Amino acid sequence: MLNGEKILFSGMQATGNLTLGNYLGALKNWVQIADEYTTFYSVVDMHSITVRQDPAEFRKRARNLLTLYIAAGLDPEKNCIYYQSHVSGHAELAWVLNCFTYMGELNRMTQFKDKAAKHADNINAGLFTYPVLMAADILLYQADVVPVGIDQMQHLELCRDIAQRFNSIYGDVFTIPEAYLGKSGAKIMSLQDPSKKMSKSDENVNASIYLMDDPDSIIRKFKRAVTDSEAHICYRDEQPGIKNLLDIYCACTGKTPDEAVKEFENGGYGDFKLAVGETVVSVLRPLQEKYQELSKNKDYIDQVIKNNAEKANYYATKTLRKVHKKIGFPERIR
Ligand code: TYM
């Protein structure tokens, strides 16, 4: 708790172009629940170097992502929006937590297995210990709540295990965080293969809606979305393409799957796809406009970066000092 409010932490990587999955599974929820918590929203740039990045491009993407957080509706006066690399406490706590995490636990992480398979020429130690850095992110701010999509649940479970292990040795040091999954949109699937998650790194550009896609591209991608030959709009696992489109529609409108099915059940797939596409266009348009406007205001964004890094550092240091004391590091002489 901070100032009588529960604490929320979440983060996103600045690699690739953000997709509608990132928005509906994470960012949109962040904005919806921000007022109920004291929040820390990080651009987790340290996570991104587990895969090689072009420095100039990477720096630009990180800034774009930070700007996008604000464009999506997070007020940086109320929400601590900052770069992970500006708070050294993340790396420091990650080291400590590395010593409380077992190889066997990290070996079980499905994201590690997937990424190792994808980047077979660069299976670095950072890729392996990535979930420990993620645990440090969360525990550093004593977060009660962590809004994420389903793909991050395994990492969150590990974070809870590490925190409990640490607490069982040293007393109540860390708050044990809970995941927050949105009512809909927690797993948006590829438009070209609805058995796969919609992902920034998909090679097929028609598989993902990118947040900066123009309206024509969005509509075109929805029109091409892979469905089935049932010719009947139902919300069920046997029709994963249609189910995904209904999920997207519900996450955008706040409607339930039942309500959405009633609305479209007497129509054809073509009209349904178009309606979903138009809904997505109308959700992304204000975000894109605000983003363009903010991007022009360099001084304002710089000020946000500076002020919030200081704020994040302040809270991070508090936890870190507590941890150092508990594990027996020597006291600092002032
Ligand atoms: P990242 O950058 O891959 O994704 C950011 C957020 O978007 C969600 N997401 C999705 N949700 C629904 N459908 C999809 N297709 C989809 N794709 C992505 C993710 O679940 C995530 O919430 N390791 C994290 C970043 C991170 C983090 C943290 C998150 C680092 N430290 C601490 C929470 C707390 C990641 O790579 O997310």
Side-chain angles (χ1 to χ4, degrees):
M1 296 284 258
L2 206 60
N3 311 322
E5 278 179 335
K6 285 192 168 176
I7 301 168
L8 179 156
F9 181 92
S10 201
M12 221 178 259
Q13 290 204 61
T15 34
N17 288 324
L18 285 211
T19 71
L20 188 63
N22 295 121
Y23 183 65
L24 297 178
L27 199 48
K28 189 165 180 286
N29 293 327
W30 295 4
V31 178
Q32 259 162 14
I33 60 175
D35 285 347
E36 298 162 39
Y37 301 96
T38 293
T39 61
F40 295 87
Y41 289 118
S42 187
V43 170
V44 290
D45 46 0
M46 288 161 63
H47 282 272
S48 302
I49 61 164
T50 51
V51 174
R52 294 281 174 268
Q53 304 292 339
D54 170 71
E57 178 65 17
F58 181 36
R59 191 170 293 122
K60 204 164 81 195
R61 280 191 194 282
R63 189 170 173 108
N64 291 349
L65 181 56
L66 188 129
T67 307
L68 195 70
Y69 284 7
I70 307 172
L74 294 171
D75 177 355
E77 295 287 325
K78 296 193 193 132
N79 303 278
C80 187
I81 295 173
Y82 72 99
Y83 294 125
Q84 184 187 29
S85 62
H86 286 190
V87 180
S88 59
H90 288 261
E92 293 180 62
L93 184 60
W95 171 252
V96 173
L97 299 181
N98 262 319
C99 303
F100 292 85
T101 308
Y102 298 116
M103 302 284 284
E105 288 176 313
L106 294 174
N107 262 325
R108 282 198 290 276
M109 295 294 119
T110 54
Q111 196 162 311
F112 168 69
K113 290 184 211 166
D114 290 349
K115 288 206 174 167
K118 229 181 193 162
H119 303 279
D121 54 336
N122 180 21
I123 307 178
N124 59 69
L127 198 62
F128 188 60
T129 58
Y130 176 113
V132 184
L133 179 59
M134 185 163 157
D137 301 341
I138 298 166
L139 302 180
L140 197 54
Y141 299 96
Q142 305 287 358
D144 297 279
V145 178
V146 184
V148 281
I150 286 176
D151 62 332
Q152 296 299 320
M153 288 300 280
Q154 196 187 26
H155 290 162
L156 201 69
E157 271 310 311
L158 178 64
C159 170
R160 287 164 56 88
D161 290 346
I162 299 171
Q164 269 153 355
R165 182 171 306 139
F166 195 93
N167 283 358
S168 71
I169 306 171
Y170 299 107
D172 270 346
V173 177
F174 294 125
T175 303
I176 308 297
E178 302 275 350
Y180 175 96
L181 284 179
K183 277 198 287 295
S184 50
K187 192 163 188 193
I188 301 297
M189 310 309 274
S190 152
L191 296 185
Q192 289 297 311
D193 176 358
S195 67
K196 265 185 11 193
K197 177 183 92 159
M198 185 181 285
S199 159
K200 293 180 245 196
S201 54
D202 203 310
E203 275 154 23
N204 183 347
V205 289
N206 290 322
S208 306
I209 301 292
Y210 301 109
L211 296 189
M212 293 299 145
D213 274 352
D214 60 70
D216 287 348
S217 310
I218 295 175
I219 299 290
R220 184 172 34 80
K221 288 182 189 182
F222 275 105
K223 279 188 180 164
R224 287 191 185 172
V226 168
T227 49
D228 51 58
S229 52
E230 304 265 333
H232 193 60
I233 295 172
C234 275
Y235 189 78
R236 56 190 196 120
D237 292 339
E238 291 74 14
Q239 290 178 259
I242 292 293
K243 184 168 185 247
N244 188 38
L245 295 178
L246 286 165
D247 274 333
I248 292 173
Y249 184 74
C250 291
C252 288
T253 57
K255 292 183 181 167
T256 63
D258 276 354
E259 286 167 345
V261 167
K262 278 212 182 76
E263 205 175 320
F264 295 108
E265 66 190 346
N266 296 322
Y269 283 3
D271 289 345
F272 171 54
K273 287 178 178 181
L274 186 62
V276 179
E278 282 171 348
T279 305
V280 170
V281 168
S282 70
V283 165
L284 294 187
R285 187 177 290 125
L287 177 78
Q288 295 176 348
E289 286 170 0
K290 186 83 189 142
Y291 172 82
Q292 299 303 348
E293 185 190 317
L294 281 166
S295 303
K296 291 183 202 133
N297 201 341
K298 180 174 181 307
D299 292 347
Y300 171 69
I301 299 291
D302 283 350
Q303 202 57 42
V304 168
I305 292 171
K306 181 170 178 290
N307 292 348
N308 281 325
E310 281 168 13
K311 188 170 159 190
N313 261 300
Y314 171 79
Y315 291 109
T317 305
K318 267 172 77 161
T319 301
L320 208 56
R321 293 283 176 271
K322 192 169 162 187
V323 168
H324 284 183
K325 194 167 173 199
K326 289 282 183 184
I327 50 183
F329 285 167
E331 267 178 56
R332 280 157 203 260
I333 313 291
R334 284 172 205 283

